Amino acid sequence: MSYAYDPQQARTAVLAYSGGLDTSVAVRWLIEEMSLEVVAVAVDVGQGGDWDALRARALAAGATRCVVVDARDELASEYAFASLRANALYEQKYPLVSALSRPLISKHLVAQARLHGARAVAHGCTGKGNDQVRFEVSVRALAPDLEMISPARVWGMTREQSIEYAKRHGVPLDAKKSSGGDIYSIDQNLWGRAIECGVLEDPWERPPDDVYELTVQAATEPCEIVISFEEGVPVALDDRALSPREMIEEVSRIVGSYGWGRLDMVENRRVGIKSREVYECPGSLALIMAHSDLESLTLERDLAHEKARLEPRWAELVYDGLWFSPLKEALDSFMISSQRYVSGDVKLVCEPGRCYVAGRRSPVALYDWELATYDAADSFRHSDAEGFVRLWGLGVETWAARQARRGSGGESASDVG
Ligand code: ARG
């Protein structure tokens, strides 16, 4: 008789666990309704929180085990900085906060599923959002043999019913969150913070002040910061070498303290719903602004223009859950190659409510002062311009001359040809 691992026999599911009501109810639901054992996996992507309390809650809900994985450095260097290379903004605004963490969390879910010989991976997303798409497409890309379970999509409970279910099964509730005091749905990581639900569901309603945490203005004195890049990667802040994670945390903290980095937008979800989203992204928006500015100094024109065409595509793929896809991989190769000379410094000025680029320099700049200047040191060969401009306009000139002849009545359209 063989004891080889048989996924059909395995009784374990790995659940993406956040510590909130829905994923706590999901633990119990997988046990009760599907007779599975649950390994709760929480991935630290910089959302903050009390990990001991989270562990206790997972176990109290019935999980056999609760694993907390610190993936902050990985999120920063492999996901956020890849996004930075592509200056990725979905619909030209949103720096992909949640869209970046889901493939990373999926990767860790699959790793834990292997470790525990699990048969299935589960998540707590509803059927209306993008995150279900990202989890499921990512997990399938990495482990096509694993079953995907999405309890919240199956059970169809309202929030009240979830609370009722939790009480009935002795699932502990976070008092603040289940009392109705927690009206917003929040998703946060190093790259920013997304806020949905409550009054924000009316796109005309101004976001109340209490939705903001990372962009509350406290600093009043303007400041300058210098971000140094090497091949597209920010490596030092005011000459201080920082790890990718430290860089994002520091820039977020500084820029956020000036009350800058907010977005309020209506966004097209992959599932066809328009939704009103409020974001706080001080670090990611400041880094993207600095990085793309340095590119304006260091990228050759055709490369810059082609890159600008591919950037929205990269953002859209990642938004749509296709992080692990051949096109995204190919575009990454392009993005990496484009960054060879994106090295240098960018100066940002922070003032209450504002953050902007106020200078850039690079040892490999394509900006050539002797070519650009209008003063005596000018090295540009003005005589070259004459022939260039004439040939550049030759086609238009020929066309215009013909129009003029036709206008004077000398030819009919059928004579032309
Ligand atoms: N709309 C954003 C996105 O799709 C934010 C999603 C936030 N997720 C959440 N579970 N609250 O990326």
Side-chain angles (χ1 to χ4, degrees):
M1 187 167 167
S2 151
Y3 290 93
Y5 163 68
D6 175 358
Q8 296 315 310
Q9 297 305 310
R11 301 284 351 141
T12 301
V14 162
L15 169 70
Y17 187 67
S18 72
L21 172 69
D22 286 337
T23 52
S24 297
V25 168
V27 171
R28 194 42 149 251
W29 189 90
L30 290 165
I31 297 167
E32 300 288 336
E33 318 295 326
M34 299 204 63
S35 317
L36 291 165
E37 283 192 7
V38 177
V39 175
V41 177
V43 182
D44 183 355
V45 285
Q47 66 270 52
D50 180 342
W51 300 111
D52 289 334
L54 175 140
R55 253 188 220 101
R57 205 169 308 129
L59 297 178
T64 324
R65 259 199 168 97
C66 178
V67 183
V68 178
V69 184
D70 183 353
R72 288 173 298 170
D73 290 313
E74 204 180 354
L75 179 78
S77 60
E78 307 295 319
Y79 291 73
F81 281 6
S83 205
L84 181 59
R85 274 198 296 267
N87 298 315
L89 298 172
Y90 178 66
E91 297 187 335
Q92 291 166 48
K93 295 195 189 89
Y94 164 50
L96 298 175
V97 177
S98 310
L100 291 178
S101 70
R102 294 320 187 252
L104 171 60
I105 296 170
S106 300
K107 194 181 132 186
H108 286 288
L109 291 172
V110 168
Q112 291 297 324
R114 297 307 188 210
L115 201 63
H116 295 98
R119 169 181 114 192
V121 170
H123 62 75
C125 307
T126 71
K128 291 172 80 167
N130 293 313
D131 291 328
Q132 56 171 345
V133 179
R134 297 166 184 153
F135 275 134
E136 293 180 34
V137 174
S138 298
V139 169
R140 289 227 165 83
L142 296 171
D145 59 305
L146 289 174
E147 189 185 324
M148 288 294 322
I149 309 174
S150 89
R153 227 164 41 197
V154 179
W155 72 44
M157 288 189 268
T158 63
R159 194 162 177 83
E160 286 65 38
Q161 288 167 331
S162 297
I163 293 173
E164 191 39 51
Y165 186 96
K167 285 185 179 150
R168 191 150 29 95
H169 290 94
V171 175
L173 298 170
D174 186 327
K176 176 178 146 268
K177 293 200 169 174
S178 51
S179 66
D182 194 58
I183 34 184
Y184 305 114
S185 161
I186 309 240
D187 188 50
Q188 184 171 348
N189 62 52
L190 295 169
W191 211 229
R193 182 164 177 268
I195 310 131
E196 300 173 318
C197 302
V199 290
L200 302 178
E201 287 180 353
D202 177 352
W204 178 247
E205 234 2 92
R206 176 175 168 168
D209 285 340
D210 69 359
V211 305
Y212 298 112
E213 273 182 13
L214 308 179
T215 56
V216 178
Q217 192 207 313
T220 51
E221 278 305 301
C223 80
E224 265 184 31
I225 57 174
V226 174
I227 302 174
S228 306
F229 290 84
E230 268 169 32
E231 301 193 10
V233 177
V235 292
L237 181 65
D238 292 330
D239 285 329
R240 209 156 40 96
L242 296 179
S243 74
R245 171 161 71 85
E246 292 167 333
M247 176 65 69
I248 298 169
E249 287 171 346
E250 273 295 283
V251 174
S252 300
R253 192 184 55 73
I254 296 169
V255 173
S257 73
Y258 286 88
W260 187 86
R262 296 179 180 178
L263 297 171
D264 177 347
M265 64 189 281
V266 175
E267 167 184 308
N268 288 294
R269 288 189 188 161
R270 178 62 283 190
V271 294
I273 299 172
K274 281 194 190 290
S275 73
R276 196 280 187 88
E277 305 279 334
V278 173
Y279 298 108
E280 297 185 277
C281 307
S284 50
L285 290 175
L287 285 166
I288 291 172
M289 179 167 68
H291 174 258
S292 63
D293 191 278
L294 184 60
E295 288 187 330
S296 71
L297 186 69
T298 53
L299 290 190
E300 179 275 332
R301 176 181 183 265
D302 283 339
L303 175 57
H305 289 185
E306 200 54 42
K307 183 168 184 284
R309 274 188 275 273
L310 294 173
E311 287 170 354
R313 190 76 184 99
W314 193 98
E316 200 170 74
L317 285 170
V318 172
Y319 185 88
D320 288 349
L322 297 170
W323 179 274
F324 300 108
S325 69
L327 178 55
K328 150 76 173 41
E329 202 179 310
L331 290 180
D332 274 333
S333 304
F334 173 88
M335 297 299 169
I336 289 169
S337 159
S338 74
Q339 299 300 293
R340 190 139 31 119
Y341 300 109
V342 184
S343 301
D345 303 328
V346 179
K347 180 161 51 188
L348 296 181
V349 172
C350 303
E351 294 167 358
R354 304 217 292 159
C355 175
Y356 55 91
V357 175
R360 71 290 288 159
R361 66 181 172 196
S362 165
V364 287
L366 295 175
Y367 179 89
D368 183 329
W369 183 79
E370 291 187 357
L371 283 177
T373 184
Y374 283 97
D375 82 8
D378 183 2
S379 69
F380 182 77
R381 297 206 314 188
H382 289 259
S383 55
D384 287 354
E386 191 182 335
F388 166 74
V389 176
R390 180 164 290 276
L391 290 187
W392 174 252
L394 187 56
V396 174
E397 186 184 332
T398 308
W399 171 82
R402 170 168 293 168
Q403 298 302 305
R405 256 186 289 141
R406 285 181 60 191
S408 66
E411 289 172 25
S412 73
S414 58
D415 296 331
V416 182

